[in-house]
Amino acid sequence: MGGQGGRLYLLLALAAASGLYSSRMGAESRNPTYYNIGGVLSNNDSEFHFQEIIAHLNFESQYVPRGVTYYARAIRMDQNPIRTALNVCKYLIAQRVYAVVVSHPQTGDLSPAAVSYTSGFYHIPVIGISSRDSAFSDKNIHVSFLRTVPPYSHQADVWVQLLRHVGYTRVLFVHGSDTDGRALLGRFQTASSQLPPGVTLPGHLGPAGITIIGGAAKASGGGGGAAPEASSSVDDLDVKVQVEAVIEFEPGLESFTEQLTEMKTAQARVYLLYASRTDAEVIFRDAALLNMTEAGYVWLVTEQALDAENVPVGTLGLRLVNATKERAHVQDSIYILASALRDMNAKENITEAPNDCDNSGSIWETGKMLFEYIRRQVLLNGKTGKVAFDDNGDRINAEYDVVNVQDRGEQISVGQHYYCAETDKMALKLDEGAILWPGRLRNKPEGFMIPTHLKVLTIEEKPFVYVREVKWGTRAQGGGLHSTRNPEEAAFGSSLGASMSPSGLEDGADGPPPQIEGCNVDEVPCPHFNASDDGDEGGTMYCCKGFCVDLLKELAKTINFTYSMALSPDGQFGSYVAKNTTVGGKKEWTGLIGELVAERADMIVAPLTINPERAEFIEFSKPFKYQGITILEKKPSRSSTLVSFLQPFSNTLWILVMVSVHVVALVLYLLDRFSPFGRFRLVAPPGPPGATPSDARGPPGMVGSYCPSTASSAAATTEEDALNLSSAIWFAWGVLLNSGIGEGTPRSFSARVLGMVWAGFAMIIVASYTANLAAFLVLERPKTKLTGINDARLRNTMENLTCATVKGSAVDMYFRRQVELSNMYRTMEGNNYDTAEDAIRDVKAGKLMAFIWDSSRLEFEAAMDCELVTAGELFGRSGYGVGLQKGSPWADAVTLAILDFHESGFMERLDNKWVLQQGDGLGPMGSHCDGANTSEKTPNTLGLKNMAGVFILVAAGIVGGVALIVIEVAYKKHHARRQKRLELARHAADKWRGAVEKRRNLRATIAAQQQQMQQRRIKSNGINENMAGCASRSPIGNPLGLAPTSVGGVGSAAAAAAAAADLLRQRSPRAAGGMRVSAITGSDDGSPLFSNPSPRRLPSPTDLIV
């Protein structure tokens, strides 16, 4: 010791001499020329080494600039943290120390914290060399603390690499509820979810003889044997370690049996343990009593638990390299500090450190900068390896030994976690052949227990799962409805139905499979998840069948497992939402996904779409069916009104056709009217035998109308009339409507040329109408039908166009991911439904115009209901997969089985049976529409709605014809009555004229005779002339002023009277008939021709008839 003291005094003298020199240079420098480095150490040896290292440091120019000197100011650490804090103020801060190196006390662990609190108040950096508590990583409390040893939580990084190296991907995490335990869990979960490059995964045996190597699967017949030695060499392997369960306990255990019993029911058999030495001894004691330290189990523990006296044989643990070499850590910390001061001295303005704990003053900014400079330093060749710090000031790149507990408690290093300078990364080297596993086995355990009875969830979704409600029936012979294999299955629901084995028998039963009364042979009992023993409310039970049920049966038969099936608890696939019951609003999965993530179920066999959001939390098999997204809408009612048959032509064209008909008819009439060849003379047929000329007179009773010459001419030839206007219109309509023309055709050549042109026009119009009618009524596409996801009415949704999907579904997630569909998604988000069944029902009812969902389901619905139709092409193509827990041992076996089903044609048979409803007709029902409405190119059948207008037009024609015939009959009767009256009046007038004519002739004859007699008398008397003159002058002889000597005078008077009678009869037949004539004179003596003492009424036509 005396030699060491002499060397120390010599070094101090040299340091003093160097200080005199630096004092002369200090006047020329703005930064301090000497720096006091404080130390709070555990023993005298550490103090001496501390001073010696600083003394040697002053002579290393690469760390100490010229003119700068470091001085050591060291004190002993007191186990009382208060006295330690006071000593720091009294002996270190008072000496203006720029940094403090702190060790650990002999007993207790609070003194380093007291040093950190005291120095941190003034922002004086503190470098710990032995404190490993995770609390020192909190920079809100220990603001200026760094350390050259890693915290206990950093062992999680080594655990993750070790687990990946040996191929264990499913573990149980057991830790105390202190800060270090929780920090270790958090760091492990973070590290296990990330995959650094340079990790390899040796083969390990999976279910049904499947060896997994680097994430791929291949057939294998044996387990994973021990390799002589391996290191991480394969990059970019997607292997993640999953924590199946976390068991947290309060420190100070007395018994751990209850927690171990719970751990024993889990699948994972790899246990990660963080516990103090005393707690670890209790855990190992109880685990040994439950045989959980024997073959098949793996224990991986931290440094503290590795110190337990009863640590089991085969346990793997970690030891920090150089953890107890305090001198090495002191030297590394001093050299790191010197490097930081060197860099800072060259770049920053350094102020003096505080020296009074009684005066808080202002914050020492130089201390803050010095902390950052220290944190950024890297010491490649330190005594403890590569020294570097993270953002919290914790040591990184620390090296560990992998320790294996073997016989008699001997702890042997079987691997190293070390820094590799070539790759600048941490590497793991493990000699698996040297490891002795629990049960004193040399072969590596599987690390998990493969469950042979799986809890399977599904959801009602036609045609994949049909659910039928039945009343709870009696149990069949051969076993109960459900076999509870372990306590955890009670949470799954004790009435999950029969535990089905691949052969269809209940697990452990010898007889036929139990069936609920009402469930058919092809159905599987499927109560709601967590249902009671008595089924659902009301004593009901459910039976399931369909595509997915048949797939599950075949999977169970192929890879040999039994299962219990249940329906989704909330009827949903599941969405990732924040629950109010979760602390801090943490998001959780609901529905089927939530049950699988929470590990309350083992498998989901349902139309579960594979997408990135779900694949982050659960594991999918290869797709068992590929599909996409499409749109379902109700087939729009066609625009078939009562005038649908008028649709082929526009209104303007119809008007022009109507006008053309009448214009052509008018022109035909005019051409035939004015053409010289518009009439033809035809030879009249001979009259009937015995016909008399009176037959040609005309109407009966016509007197004096018979003309022999005319009658003879009519008997020889007749003249046919020209085309009249009504016949021309009839002809034009008949040609246009392609009806037969019996009469009334054009007679002239010019009119017939126009008729031929009109016939050609009619042919073109009728052919065009027929073609367009087929296009409009048969191949008509509804104007309101959507064209697909890119339809403008969906992208810019109108108020009267509502679209929706199912909340939290894969389709909903797809729309959330697509930026270009964001506007559409915001509109439809408020319309989304809880289930697809509700949405399809509203589409049928017309409440929802477009439902966006999986193509398989919507095409099935469209085939079943002819009122529904899918629109547009498929988009968002994906597939349905079987969902399993992360790291499930059944994942690869299920994937291989599904690939084999595709190759063997089994999946195609399921498609034909359930989805396409074809083939052997095994589906629940046949397609009602034969897929007609799924093809947009097939013509549609005309119905009554399309042609109702035509039938109504015919009915209107019939009604119009009946109405017209009634009018015609009424008019004809009225006209006949009037004509009859006119004929009677005309007949009477004719008879009256005949009588008048006879009388007039008689008077004329008498007058002529009288005149002849008078002339003879005059001649005989010779007084003819004189008598004539007298008679002409006599006022009595001609009282009416008529010429008595004129025979025509009497005839003229009679004719005038007859004419007057005709005029009166035409105006009023009754007046004419009732006309009275007092006297008609015409005789030469002035007496009336018809003498009557009183005026007498002339005979009326009625009187004459009578």
Side-chain angles (χ1 to χ4, degrees):
M1 188 69 184
Q4 291 181 355
R7 288 195 303 270
L8 178 60
Y9 292 143
L10 178 60
L11 290 173
L12 290 177
L14 292 174
S18 125
L20 293 175
Y21 174 77
S22 62
S23 64
R24 291 193 299 266
M25 300 295 296
E28 302 175 0
S29 175
R30 59 179 180 175
N31 289 338
T33 58
Y34 68 94
Y35 297 91
N36 292 323
I37 308 300
V40 182
L41 305 171
S42 60
N43 52 52
N44 292 331
D45 289 340
S46 297
E47 290 184 27
F48 175 78
H49 293 316
F50 177 74
Q51 295 174 354
E52 185 179 23
I53 292 170
I54 292 180
H56 281 290
L57 179 65
N58 287 319
F59 295 97
E60 296 189 26
S61 58
Q62 61 174 339
Y63 292 102
V64 181
R66 190 172 182 179
V68 175
T69 305
Y70 296 109
Y71 293 98
R73 299 289 186 261
I75 62 173
R76 289 284 300 275
M77 178 174 289
D78 197 302
Q79 61 182 2
N80 187 329
I82 297 177
R83 283 200 294 265
T84 299
L86 294 176
N87 291 335
V88 169
C89 286
K90 183 176 180 180
Y91 299 108
L92 298 182
I93 296 179
Q95 297 293 327
R96 294 187 183 274
V97 293
Y98 285 80
V100 177
V101 178
V102 60
S103 180
H104 60 277
Q106 298 291 340
T107 58
D109 55 359
L110 297 179
S111 294
V115 176
S116 176
Y117 294 149
T118 306
S119 302
F121 182 80
Y122 299 98
H123 289 278
I124 299 174
V126 178
I127 302 177
I129 61 174
S130 59
S131 299
R132 303 185 61 185
D133 294 341
S134 297
F136 289 100
S137 300
D138 188 356
K139 295 298 114 178
N140 293 321
I141 301 175
H142 302 277
V143 294
S144 60
F145 189 86
L146 304 96
R147 47 185 162 183
T148 59
V149 290
Y152 291 121
S153 59
H154 282 200
Q155 294 178 85
D157 300 336
V158 188
W159 277 0
V160 170
Q161 288 202 30
L162 181 60
L163 291 170
R164 285 171 174 165
H165 186 90
V166 296
Y168 293 146
T169 59
R170 195 178 186 89
V171 300
L172 266 73
F173 200 101
V174 183
H175 70 92
S177 60
D178 55 9
T179 305
D180 288 310
R182 292 173 180 172
L184 183 68
L185 174 62
R187 191 173 183 92
F188 180 85
Q189 290 175 333
T190 302
S192 62
S193 63
Q194 300 173 352
L195 184 65
V199 179
T200 185
L201 182 61
H204 69 279
L205 186 63
I210 303 301
T211 300
I212 302 173
I213 300 179
K218 68 178 182 179
S220 175
E229 184 173 326
S231 62
S232 301
S233 59
V234 181
D235 294 342
D236 302 328
L237 294 178
D238 189 10
V239 180
K240 295 183 179 180
V241 180
Q242 181 187 6
V243 178
E244 181 178 349
V246 176
I247 309 297
E248 182 177 298
F249 61 88
E250 292 292 333
L253 288 174
E254 294 182 0
S255 175
F256 201 68
T257 304
E258 183 179 353
Q259 292 89 332
L260 288 172
T261 303
E262 181 182 356
M263 292 166 56
K264 201 171 184 179
T265 61
Q267 295 181 19
R269 290 293 183 264
V270 179
Y271 302 143
L272 306 184
L273 175 62
Y274 167 80
S276 65
R277 177 177 176 176
T278 55
D279 290 335
E281 289 175 352
V282 174
I283 293 173
F284 290 144
R285 180 200 65 194
D286 293 343
L289 294 176
L290 296 174
N291 293 324
M292 295 178 65
T293 59
E294 299 300 323
Y297 294 87
V298 178
W299 289 86
L300 185 58
V301 302
T302 58
E303 297 175 74
Q304 302 98 312
L306 197 60
D307 293 332
E309 294 182 356
N310 59 344
V311 59
V313 174
T315 301
L316 290 175
L318 300 178
R319 289 283 188 196
L320 180 64
V321 178
N322 299 320
T324 59
K325 296 180 180 180
E326 186 170 326
R327 179 172 181 175
H329 284 281
V330 169
Q331 180 172 337
D332 287 346
S333 62
I334 292 175
Y335 276 85
I336 283 285
L337 177 59
S339 300
L341 286 172
R342 177 198 59 199
D343 296 343
M344 187 176 176
N345 191 49
K347 299 177 182 179
E348 307 291 344
N349 184 19
I350 302 176
T351 60
E352 289 186 343
N355 63 347
D356 189 1
C357 287
D358 297 331
N359 182 16
S360 60
S362 60
I363 298 176
W364 185 41
E365 295 296 338
T366 299
K368 287 184 176 182
M369 289 189 294
L370 181 57
F371 174 84
E372 292 299 326
Y373 272 92
I374 297 173
R375 190 182 59 80
R376 291 196 294 264
Q377 296 301 313
V378 176
L379 188 63
L380 293 176
N381 298 315
K383 293 295 184 179
T384 59
K386 179 183 176 181
V387 181
F389 305 97
D390 60 13
D391 293 339
N392 295 324
D394 295 330
R395 170 78 177 268
I396 57 176
N397 299 322
E399 297 182 349
Y400 292 88
D401 283 332
V402 181
V403 177
N404 180 223
V405 179
Q406 299 192 358
D407 291 331
R408 295 181 300 277
E410 184 181 4
Q411 298 183 1
I412 298 176
S413 176
V414 293
Q416 294 81 35
H417 184 258
Y418 63 98
Y419 172 74
C420 181
E422 289 86 3
T423 60
D424 193 26
K425 297 175 182 177
M426 300 302 294
L428 177 65
K429 181 172 64 175
L430 186 66
D431 184 5
E432 293 189 39
I435 299 176
L436 183 67
W437 298 97
R440 291 177 171 80
L441 300 178
R442 290 294 178 179
N443 292 333
K444 181 184 65 177
E446 294 297 334
F448 57 86
M449 180 193 68
I450 302 176
T452 58
H453 185 83
L454 303 182
K455 295 163 284 188
V456 182
L457 289 181
T458 189
I459 191 171
E460 182 178 6
E461 183 78 7
K462 301 174 183 177
F464 297 94
V465 178
Y466 290 90
V467 178
R468 186 169 63 91
E469 181 179 341
V470 294
K471 290 297 180 181
W472 184 262
T474 59
R475 289 174 168 81
Q477 292 182 353
L481 287 174
H482 179 63
S483 151
T484 303
R485 302 172 61 95
N486 53 58
E488 197 177 30
E489 289 198 13
F492 184 70
S494 57
S495 61
L496 288 180
S499 301
M500 303 302 295
S501 67
S503 61
L505 298 179
E506 183 186 4
D507 189 37
D510 297 330
Q515 295 291 333
I516 294 178
E517 185 177 354
C519 280
N520 299 325
V521 176
D522 61 338
E523 294 177 331
V524 174
C526 53
H528 281 289
F529 188 69
N530 286 335
S532 63
D533 289 341
D534 296 329
D536 294 339
E537 293 183 3
T540 58
M541 188 62 183
Y542 298 92
C543 299
C544 294
K545 68 176 181 179
F547 185 104
C548 290
V549 176
D550 286 357
L551 175 62
L552 175 61
K553 292 178 180 178
E554 194 68 18
L555 282 173
K557 185 186 301 182
T558 302
I559 57 179
N560 193 24
F561 65 84
T562 60
Y563 60 89
S564 297
M565 199 171 196
L567 293 172
S568 173
D570 55 3
Q572 296 183 2
F573 287 94
S575 56
Y576 195 47
V577 296
K579 288 190 174 181
N580 297 330
T581 57
T582 306
V583 179
K586 182 181 177 182
K587 287 187 174 182
E588 292 182 0
W589 282 95
T590 61
L592 294 177
I593 308 295
E595 302 301 326
L596 199 60
V597 170
E599 300 182 0
R600 291 188 291 267
D602 300 308
M603 183 184 294
I604 297 175
V605 181
L608 187 65
T609 304
I610 302 172
N611 61 20
E613 292 86 353
R614 293 171 175 172
E616 186 178 352
F617 294 89
I618 67 174
E619 193 161 342
F620 282 100
S621 68
K622 290 294 183 182
F624 61 81
K625 182 171 179 59
Y626 294 91
Q627 52 89 39
I629 304 173
T630 189
I631 303 171
L632 181 73
E633 61 177 349
K634 189 175 183 180
K635 188 181 294 183
S637 58
R638 299 180 179 276
S639 55
S640 300
T641 61
L642 297 180
V643 292
S644 295
F645 62 94
L646 300 179
Q647 288 181 349
F649 289 167
S650 64
N651 295 335
T652 303
L653 185 57
W654 279 119
I655 294 174
L656 291 176
V657 171
M658 298 297 105
V659 171
S660 300
V661 171
H662 296 87
V663 168
V664 169
L666 178 62
V667 174
L668 285 174
Y669 165 72
L670 294 177
L671 291 176
D672 223 38
R673 174 74 176 173
F674 294 104
S675 174
F677 304 102
R679 294 175 177 82
F680 296 90
R681 295 181 181 276
L682 303 175
V683 177
T692 62
S694 62
D695 296 335
R697 291 180 182 178
M702 292 296 292
V703 180
S705 62
Y706 172 69
C707 180
S709 61
T710 304
S712 62
S713 175
T717 61
T718 59
E719 184 179 273
E720 187 173 345
D721 290 338
L723 186 70
N724 56 30
L725 184 58
S726 63
S727 297
I729 295 175
W730 177 256
F731 171 80
W733 276 108
V735 171
L736 181 64
L737 300 178
N738 198 20
S739 62
I741 307 299
E743 58 183 9
T745 58
R747 303 301 180 187
S748 64
F749 180 74
S750 58
R752 290 189 175 185
V753 170
L754 177 58
M756 287 187 292
V757 174
W758 175 248
F761 170 83
M763 178 186 69
I764 296 173
I765 289 295
V766 170
S768 302
Y769 174 82
T770 304
N772 270 3
L773 183 66
F776 271 85
L777 298 184
V778 180
L779 296 176
E780 177 189 5
R781 291 288 162 250
K783 295 181 180 179
T784 58
K785 185 176 179 181
L786 298 173
T787 59
I789 190 61
N790 294 320
D791 196 295
R793 288 169 290 178
L794 286 178
R795 295 299 183 96
N796 302 307
T797 309
M798 301 179 295
E799 293 181 0
N800 59 345
L801 179 59
T802 56
C803 58
T805 185
V806 177
K807 298 176 183 177
S809 62
V811 179
D812 185 66
M813 298 175 189
Y814 172 83
F815 276 91
R816 258 185 262 168
R817 288 197 305 268
Q818 303 301 318
V819 179
E820 64 273 15
L821 300 176
S822 57
N823 291 334
M824 179 181 173
Y825 178 72
R826 283 195 296 269
T827 304
M828 64 186 287
E829 189 175 11
N831 303 325
N832 288 344
Y833 287 78
D834 292 330
T835 63
E837 293 291 339
D838 296 339
I840 294 173
R841 183 174 58 252
D842 281 357
V843 171
K844 293 178 181 180
K847 298 178 182 178
L848 180 64
M849 297 190 66
F851 176 51
I852 305 174
W853 194 237
D854 295 338
S855 59
S856 300
R857 174 68 188 279
L858 297 189
E859 288 171 358
F860 170 78
E861 292 291 340
M864 292 295 103
D865 191 340
C866 298
E867 292 297 320
L868 302 178
V869 64
T870 56
E873 299 292 333
L874 298 184
F875 62 96
R877 296 180 182 271
S878 59
Y880 291 147
V882 176
L884 301 108
Q885 296 178 8
K886 275 290 185 181
S888 172
W890 292 101
D892 297 283
V894 171
T895 291
L896 287 177
I898 289 176
L899 293 176
D900 183 65
F901 294 163
H902 281 293
E903 294 177 359
S904 63
F906 176 75
M907 303 308 301
E908 184 178 358
R909 292 195 296 272
L910 288 183
D911 272 340
N912 292 334
K913 177 180 177 180
W914 297 105
V915 180
L916 303 179
Q917 306 287 328
Q918 296 175 354
D920 53 7
L922 296 176
M925 61 186 74
S927 175
H928 296 282
C929 301
D930 297 329
N933 57 352
T934 60
S935 175
E936 297 194 1
K937 297 184 179 179
T938 55
N940 295 315
T941 304
L942 291 178
L944 179 60
K945 291 183 179 179
N946 303 110
M947 305 303 294
V950 178
F951 290 98
I952 292 177
L953 183 62
V954 173
I958 294 173
V959 173
V962 172
L964 288 176
I965 193 64
V966 171
I967 294 173
E968 286 180 352
V969 170
Y971 175 76
K972 184 63 178 177
K973 288 182 178 181
H974 173 73
H975 183 71
R977 288 194 299 267
R978 183 179 177 184
Q979 190 69 22
K980 188 174 182 180
R981 287 196 299 268
L982 290 176
E983 291 296 331
L984 290 174
R986 188 179 296 110
H987 185 66
D990 290 342
K991 286 188 175 183
W992 185 78
R993 284 194 193 96
V996 172
E997 186 68 25
K998 289 180 181 180
R999 291 176 183 177
R1000 187 177 63 184
N1001 292 337
L1002 180 61
R1003 284 196 300 270
T1005 302
I1006 295 173
Q1009 291 177 356
Q1010 289 179 355
Q1011 188 175 7
Q1012 290 177 0
M1013 292 177 62
Q1014 187 176 8
Q1015 288 178 355
R1016 285 197 299 270
R1017 206 182 295 119
I1018 291 172
K1019 288 180 180 181
S1020 63
N1021 293 332
I1023 57 173
N1024 186 21
E1025 296 178 358
N1026 294 329
M1027 290 297 293
C1030 293
S1032 61
R1033 294 189 297 268
S1034 176
I1036 301 172
N1038 192 3
L1040 294 176
L1042 299 174
T1045 59
S1046 175
V1047 178
V1050 176
S1052 298
D1062 284 340
L1063 180 60
L1064 290 174
R1065 185 173 61 251
Q1066 290 176 2
R1067 292 182 180 180
S1068 177
R1070 292 187 178 274
M1075 181 181 63
R1076 296 176 180 273
V1077 180
S1078 60
I1080 300 177
T1081 62
S1083 63
D1084 53 356
D1085 55 0
S1087 60
L1089 293 176
F1090 304 96
S1091 58
N1092 194 350
S1094 63
R1096 183 169 64 90
R1097 180 175 63 87
L1098 291 175
S1100 66
T1102 306
D1103 297 333
L1104 295 175
I1105 293 173
V1106 173

